[in-house]
Amino acid sequence: MSVRATTRRRQLGAMMRKLRARKGLTLEEAGGLVGVSKATVSRYETQAGPVKWIVVDALCREYGATEAERRAVVALAKDAKQQGWWRSFADSIPESMNLLLTLEDEAVREDHFCCVYVPGLLQTRGYSTALQKANEVPLEPEEVERLVDIRMKRQEVLTRQKPPRLWAILDESVIRRVVGSSEIMKEQLDRLLEANESPHITLQVLPFSKGAHAAALGSFVIIGGAEAALDVVYVDFHTGSLFLEKDEELERYRLAFEYLRAQALDMEASSAMIHRARQEL
């Protein structure tokens, strides 16, 4: 499985595998039912290459898919090549950002652990601008503005009709580190307090008083797809990014997130700590 495929293509492959397995058919048996080769059925399930929606429709009928399942899968097949808004920036943003935006475009949930900065989806423009200006290689003002515009556009995923469920655990250092200026930081903390009132966003703060914990993994994001098989862990490094999707890798980060969630303050106490940090600025 490759995270380079569009999320629609990845979802399509996962659903086709699920439906065939539920019917108890081999690849060869499934292909024989609709007049295509075993290799074609396999390709449809492994996200490699183009698909024909009419073949997908026929397979769904042979698999005994419900009408709702068939319509959903055929819709995925028709839109498998659809590209997101960020493709207009594709020539000027890193490939890792293309992949992140592709995965995030149809994520149903995102679990963040942040031990340095506020997650990009919750940053204010002022905070994001200050981060870009802090780059060790100075950027031209136009480049800073372009990168911040992309981040602000990315945040629209939280205001769509069906936004992903965002759960963010912030190390206390995130709310204590003054980025830009006190005024910028106050605005950012206000944004976090507002976010914690949203029905699809949960923020927790992991206080210094908890001492050593699983944060040794560093910051990470678990991007959840419509199926568990589509989950990917995103880890950002100074020199690049990693996208992890092996079962053992996913399990490690899922366990770490559950541990961190149990160690962190609850939502009410977290908001209280964020409010205190703001008052101290």
Side-chain angles (χ1 to χ4, degrees), residues 72-121:
V73 175
V74 169
L76 284 173
K78 289 181 176 180
D79 293 340
K81 292 184 178 180
Q82 183 175 329
Q83 304 296 336
W85 58 265
W86 58 93
R87 292 304 178 182
S88 61
F89 297 94
D91 293 337
S92 55
I93 63 175
E95 176 62 14
S96 60
M97 178 59 70
N98 274 304
L99 295 177
L100 173 61
L101 295 173
T102 297
L103 292 167
E104 195 169 68
D105 185 45
E106 292 188 7
V108 298
R109 74 178 195 286
E110 290 195 25
D111 296 334
H112 291 245
F113 173 63
C114 306
C115 57
V116 182
Y117 299 121
V118 170
L121 288 177

Side-chain angles (χ1 to χ4, degrees), residues 151-169:
R151 179 152 294 176
M152 296 300 104
K153 179 69 175 177
R154 177 186 164 205
Q155 293 179 2
E156 291 181 10
V157 71
L158 296 178
T159 58
R160 67 190 185 191
Q161 187 174 6
K162 292 184 178 180
R165 182 74 174 87
L166 176 62
W167 199 303
I169 301 172

